[in-house]
Amino acid sequence: MSTALVVGAGMTGLATAWHLQNYGYEVKVVDRIGVAGGASWGNAGWLAPGKTIPLANTGLWSYGLTALLDPDAALSVPKRVDPKLWSFVARFMSHATQRKWDTTMAALTEVDLLALEAFDELAENGVEAKLSDEDFVVAFRKESEAKGFLEEVEGAVRHGQEIPFERVSADQVSSFEPLLSEEAQVVYRLGGQRFIEPGPYCEALAKSFLGRGGQIETGVEVTGVTSTRKPAVQLADGQWRTADAVVLANGAWLPKLARPLGVKTMVQAGRGYSFSVPTENEPKHAIYLPHLRVACTPYQGRLRVAGTMEFRGPDEAFEPSRVDAIERVTAPMFTGVNWEDRQDEWVGSRPVTPDGLPLIGATKAPNVYVCGGHGMWGIVLGPVSGKLLVQQIATGEVDPAIKPFDPLR
């Protein structure tokens, strides 16, 4: 029986491991923390292909300059001398043009259209986890704030997605979503998307993987990868582990292992923050505040509030001021929320590439692959990415949907 070793126990790594089992591989997953120990735990949990779009857009030029001076802005870049960080920011900003947005959107659309089917496949084959398909709520304080979001929806539709989307009349807002305050003057209903509780979902995926004979080893840090006669990974304690195939799915920590293998595309940690708060009425909808860049999701009877794109090192300390800033800008949009009972405060490092495209495919090292660089979209694209990568590993054929994501581009 062929063996495989997957580095990373987040959504992407677990999905890849699960699909490797479908091709008869004996699979072990290793992770330095544990299941969903990184960006897969505290994010908004949105399975929203209609919002899986390029992060860099033309509006970033005006917003980015303002954000550098605004401590409450969702985009945060530390003001320090760091050539590598500022090189990434420059490359990221170079993609904030309409032409490049369309190029990236065209590439993402192919996997966006397959994303929800991949979750259906997992559900049909033993992954028992809650998945909600309630409509999303999209809210603004005034008409002018909605312009950018409406252009994004139009762009996704133009590239081939079907996105049910309609305005909610003013007299229906309070009944449609009682959590919104009178500050929410412009509200839309967004259909065709889903959401999950990401940590529990990853745990269910891990349970299914283990039940089918897989192994997960935690507290294991991989420090290097090589491939001569057979791929091998080196652990922090000096041990070596070999397998017939190795997949690197370790998120924002990918460059350390993948760069020596020919993967030159930069991967920067785009850290996101979240917390949960209790509400008078149990939340049922995911709520998006695009102008504030805040995503809210029902989470174990509470409301998870998530936001920020903070370009820092993946292992830097939690910044409490970021959570305070999210609350400050978000609270006026809600009613019936107890902001004094903030729990589950979290920061996670999402792997962001300058061009907004993931890294999925083979490295220069024989039988060593990468699956990462999804930016904010690792949850929704993790299962389909893992499935298509495994097809490549097992058959040698690269599905057209992931050709633009070649790690050696």
Side-chain angles (χ1 to χ4, degrees):
M1 177 181 288
S2 296
T3 60
L5 189 148
V6 178
V7 181
M11 176 70 88
T12 300
L14 291 170
T16 302
W18 190 93
H19 281 286
L20 280 163
Q21 291 177 315
N22 290 345
Y23 283 88
Y25 281 83
E26 181 180 304
V27 190
K28 173 176 280 190
V29 176
V30 297
D31 193 282
R32 66 174 188 153
I33 302 174
V35 171
S40 291
W41 187 84
N43 63 83
W46 287 12
L47 312 184
K51 276 299 298 161
T52 305
I53 60 177
L55 297 179
N57 55 48
T58 56
L60 194 59
W61 288 102
S62 57
Y63 177 76
L65 294 173
T66 302
L68 291 176
L69 303 174
D70 182 1
D72 288 350
L75 178 63
S76 175
V77 185
K79 299 176 182 64
R80 65 189 183 200
V81 177
D82 187 335
K84 186 177 179 181
L85 171 62
W86 290 105
S87 174
F88 170 83
V89 171
R91 297 184 193 191
F92 182 76
M93 292 297 295
S94 74
H95 286 83
T97 68
Q98 189 61 51
R99 181 179 63 82
K100 290 187 176 181
W101 190 95
D102 281 308
T103 298
T104 302
M105 188 69 239
L108 288 173
T109 296
E110 296 301 314
V111 289
D112 286 352
L113 294 174
L114 300 172
L116 297 184
E117 292 178 10
F119 279 90
D120 292 338
E121 181 177 353
L122 293 173
E124 292 164 3
N125 289 279
V127 178
E128 299 179 358
K130 180 181 178 182
L131 190 153
S132 176
D133 59 1
E134 293 280 350
D135 287 341
F136 280 39
V137 177
V138 184
F140 306 88
R141 292 170 297 192
K142 51 188 177 181
E143 294 282 354
S144 61
E145 292 181 351
K147 181 177 181 294
F149 179 78
L150 296 177
E151 289 174 350
E152 290 177 351
V153 171
E154 186 278 328
V157 171
R158 176 162 42 85
H159 281 277
Q161 291 206 47
E162 293 184 10
I163 305 176
F165 188 65
E166 64 178 3
R167 179 79 175 260
V168 178
S169 63
D171 61 342
Q172 294 179 326
V173 169
S174 60
S175 58
F176 174 49
E177 182 44 74
L179 288 178
L180 292 177
S181 74
E182 293 182 356
E183 288 286 314
Q185 292 291 306
V186 180
V187 178
Y188 290 87
R189 180 196 305 265
L190 178 66
Q193 322 299 309
R194 307 177 191 174
F195 59 86
I196 58 173
E197 295 180 351
Y201 188 96
C202 287
E203 290 170 356
L205 181 53
K207 181 179 179 181
S208 176
F209 167 72
L210 292 170
R212 304 199 306 170
Q215 299 179 58
I216 298 176
E217 187 175 356
T218 61
V220 176
E221 182 177 1
V222 175
T223 58
V225 185
T226 187
S227 182
T228 51
R229 290 189 304 111
K230 199 172 186 178
V233 302
Q234 185 175 29
L235 309 185
D237 62 6
Q239 293 185 57
W240 287 87
R241 303 282 177 83
T242 61
D244 295 306
V246 168
V247 179
L248 306 179
N250 57 327
W253 295 267
L254 185 65
K256 180 179 177 181
L257 301 180
R259 190 168 183 81
L261 309 179
V263 181
K264 304 302 183 184
T265 298
M266 297 183 77
V267 176
Q268 169 64 44
R271 306 199 317 168
Y273 287 77
S274 72
F275 58 90
S276 72
V277 286
T279 60
E280 289 181 4
N281 299 304
E282 184 172 344
K284 295 182 179 180
H285 300 103
I287 302 173
Y288 186 34
L289 309 175
H291 193 69
L292 303 177
R293 291 166 173 81
V294 171
C296 306
T297 315
Y299 176 74
Q300 298 186 357
R302 295 165 66 91
L303 185 70
R304 171 171 281 174
V305 183
T308 299
M309 176 61 74
E310 180 188 50
F311 291 141
R312 285 183 179 267
D315 293 311
E316 291 191 42
F318 178 90
E319 292 282 341
S321 62
R322 299 308 309 165
V323 172
D324 293 338
I326 294 171
E327 178 184 327
R328 242 187 329 268
V329 300
T330 305
M333 296 292 287
F334 287 92
T335 185
V337 175
N338 180 6
W339 298 97
E340 299 298 318
D341 185 14
R342 227 164 58 184
Q343 297 180 16
D344 309 309
E345 294 187 359
W346 170 90
V347 62
S349 294
R350 300 164 296 199
V352 181
T353 60
D355 61 8
L357 298 177
L359 302 167
I360 305 172
T363 70
K364 287 185 176 179
N367 300 311
V368 180
Y369 304 83
V370 299
C371 192
H374 292 86
M376 295 174 64
W377 319 126
I379 291 293
V380 61
L381 296 183
V384 67
S385 297
K387 177 179 180 178
L388 298 181
L389 174 61
V390 169
Q391 289 179 7
Q392 178 181 350
I393 294 170
T395 69
E397 297 181 4
V398 181
D399 191 283
I402 61 171
K403 281 187 176 180
F405 311 148
D406 183 354
L408 304 180
R409 62 181 183 267

